[in-house]
Amino acid sequence: MSTDVEQISIWGDKIGPLYFVSAELAIGYWLFAFFSAVGALQWVAARYHLAGLALFDLRQHRRRGYPLGLALVLGGTAFFFLWQWGPIFAPGPAGSELAVLFGASGIAALILTLAGSALLGNLRHPPVKQKVLAELGPLIPVGHAQGRWIEPLPEEQTDAAHSQAPLPALCLLPADRESEVVLAVLGRRLAREGRVLLLIHPDDNAYTFPAALAILPAAVSVLARRPEVDPNRIAVLGEGAGGDLAIRSASTAKDVRAMVAVAPILHEPPVGLGLLHELTFPQAIRWARDTVRAELVKWLDAGTYAAKVPPKPALVIYGSEDRLADRTALASGAGLELRTVAGLGHRYLAGHPAVMSIINDWLKEHL
Amino acid sequence: MGWDWTLFRMANGLAGRSHLLDTLVRFVMNDYWATTMLVLLPFGLWFSGNSESERERNQKGVLSTVMALAMANLVVKVINLLYWRWRPFTYHDVTLLFYHPSDSSFPSNAATVGFCIAASVLLFNRRTGLVLLLIACLFSVSRVVGGVHYPTDILGGLIIGSASAWLVQRQWRWPDRLWAPLLRWLRRLVLA
């Protein structure tokens, strides 16, 4: 035992009123509890679909969480008991010391899991590149907001004939800066088919209620001024909170021919651990603190106004794994065409190839 | 009490016969494995739930379990101050699979902690509670087999732990009012 006491001299014999007996035993137990806690979190992430806690790819391989969790608990146990088998059966730290060690390991496990999940999530799904926006050109004024043109490609560069000018046009309403990049990618895809697009820049000042309601009329006016645009074939497309804005704006805009809402939120999810179903921890913190979006969604009340969009053609698309939007709030929106894409979540939905194809085909038919 | 001693002899009689059984008993009865598993499951429960309401019920339950555990430990401390019982190995020839604990034999700390957590969780999450009950039973029985507790020590721990759990989880309403603002604050940090 004397050697054990010497070994903890790195801390002194005691830390405050706590006496850990042996540094090796304390460190061993801390690691055992740490790996077990990480294992428990992986099991829980797999069982309850918490992407923000998963160190594995929850979307692709959810069931891997169970063996991973079990392996961490068993591995931690084996490591501790094989390393410290002798000291385990000698007088060791008391319950209060063990509680402190478990508490510290639990907190460390949670921090590492949340950070690791965010890091691995970024590696698996790299954030969309901002350079896409730079390639589009400078911002232009659109009423009190701003936007960028996405020009139709010349016909010889496309695989679809679109010589029949005047061309249809779309106003794109993103949810936030990341959504703006996603819609830029979608916009370039739609422009290949001979459409003129105006991508609104999601500025916090413009995205407040009721100022946001003036964006679509201003965009329609800007689009209609272009000689190649057919003013009777202008549509609006929004993603996330931009989808809510698209629904609300289209419900009153007479000069809008069709509406597409991709994953409109309709009803904000409660802030808390539930956000980790869809988001990493840093994303969830940003989401929870984004009161501008929360207020906008609340005031837009798109679930109620959805019923007023028809008889205009209207398409609403959701991912089946979307936990940030409340599609049940759309019950009043009879007459809308609702599509659910299996296996997809809320974020970046508009940038998914399957969703881009659905939108493109639907616009060909209705615009 | 005669039956207490008889039961102890029967259980402790299993020790020292088989190396494999002794190893298993020592693995379960030590201060680390069972206690860690007993805390690990409620730790996981904090993040569990298919809906917001289920998650909130689990989180309130976990917080109440911590409170019940603190109360049970306090009761054990008070009993230890008022009553002392020597360990079985002090005056009897027993097969000991463990070191010589120096505190009072009654009530069993291990059983108090184990049954308090198990009973508390059982009152709000049956499936996890049953797993914890199994661990608590194994932990407690192994302590008798290993020669450090009488069966009545375990019974005392079971009564104290379960009563604390029942009191906090089922009889007291005020802890819920205490947890509500704490959970609201933790939700803003995406931790609850």
Side-chain angles (χ1 to χ4, degrees), chain A residues 8-358:
Chain A
I8 67 161
S9 61
I10 49 169
W11 297 336
D13 288 358
K14 287 183 166 189
I15 299 177
L18 302 175
Y19 178 51
F20 293 95
V21 181
S22 147
E24 281 191 354
L25 190 63
I27 291 167
Y29 178 73
W30 188 88
L31 288 169
F32 162 46
F34 172 80
F35 284 116
S36 298
V38 174
L41 290 174
Q42 294 318 294
W43 198 93
V44 168
R47 173 73 180 78
Y48 295 101
H49 300 249
L50 289 166
L53 278 180
L55 294 173
F56 51 95
D57 192 345
L58 192 95
R59 285 261 153 75
Q60 301 292 323
H61 310 288
R62 185 175 72 85
R63 291 189 176 277
R64 284 186 188 174
Y66 299 119
L68 176 63
L70 197 63
L72 283 163
V73 174
L74 293 178
T77 306
F79 158 76
F80 177 57
F81 279 81
L82 289 175
W83 185 34
Q84 292 292 308
W85 183 256
I88 281 169
F89 301 101
S96 49
E97 281 81 2
L98 290 182
V100 166
L101 286 173
F102 187 89
S105 65
I107 291 169
L110 184 58
I111 292 171
L112 182 120
T113 303
L114 292 170
S117 174
L119 189 71
L120 293 170
N122 275 346
L123 290 175
R124 281 187 215 107
H125 308 289
V128 279
K129 299 277 192 304
Q130 293 287 329
K131 71 174 187 183
V132 178
L133 288 177
E135 288 166 7
L136 293 182
L139 288 165
I140 57 158
V142 182
H144 72 293
Q146 292 179 300
R148 289 183 174 88
W149 290 114
I150 304 176
E151 303 287 352
L153 286 180
E155 194 177 0
E156 59 272 17
Q157 292 182 26
T158 69
D159 49 4
H162 60 260
S163 57
Q164 60 275 34
L167 302 172
L170 268 115
C171 168
L172 303 179
L173 298 169
D176 49 34
R177 301 289 168 87
E178 285 180 336
S179 169
E180 184 183 18
V181 182
V182 171
L183 289 195
V185 174
L186 170 69
R188 288 166 81 165
R189 166 83 172 82
L190 299 177
R192 271 169 37 197
E193 307 278 339
R195 300 181 183 105
V196 180
L197 297 107
L198 181 58
L199 173 61
I200 300 299
H201 178 59
D203 187 279
D204 275 358
N205 296 322
Y207 269 39
T208 54
F209 190 87
L213 294 180
I215 295 175
L216 182 61
V220 170
S221 169
V222 170
L223 284 164
R225 279 203 295 269
R226 286 187 58 146
E228 72 275 32
V229 169
D230 180 349
N232 296 315
R233 293 170 71 201
I234 295 176
V236 59
L237 182 152
E239 186 189 48
D244 291 66
L245 182 56
I247 291 173
R248 175 68 187 262
S249 302
S251 71
T252 53
K254 290 191 174 66
D255 39 9
V256 170
R257 171 92 168 263
M259 188 279 301
V260 179
V262 182
I265 295 165
L266 305 180
H267 194 267
E268 282 275 320
V271 168
L273 271 178
L275 294 176
L276 298 183
H277 285 304
E278 180 89 33
L279 306 171
T280 64
F281 185 70
Q283 289 167 344
I285 289 285
R286 281 200 296 276
W287 176 281
R289 290 188 176 174
D290 189 352
T291 52
V292 174
R293 184 213 60 253
E295 283 292 302
L296 180 67
V297 168
K298 187 177 96 181
W299 285 108
L300 287 173
D301 194 14
T304 304
Y305 281 85
K308 298 177 181 173
V309 178
K312 286 187 193 85
L315 171 68
V316 181
I317 305 175
Y318 280 110
S320 63
E321 304 300 315
D322 191 337
R323 306 285 190 110
L324 293 178
D326 179 13
R327 73 195 82 166
T328 59
L330 207 61
S332 61
L336 301 174
E337 189 177 338
L338 183 63
R339 299 260 190 103
T340 303
V341 185
L344 299 183
H346 181 86
R347 290 165 58 77
Y348 311 130
L349 184 62
H352 193 276
V355 176
M356 288 204 280
S357 289
I358 290 171

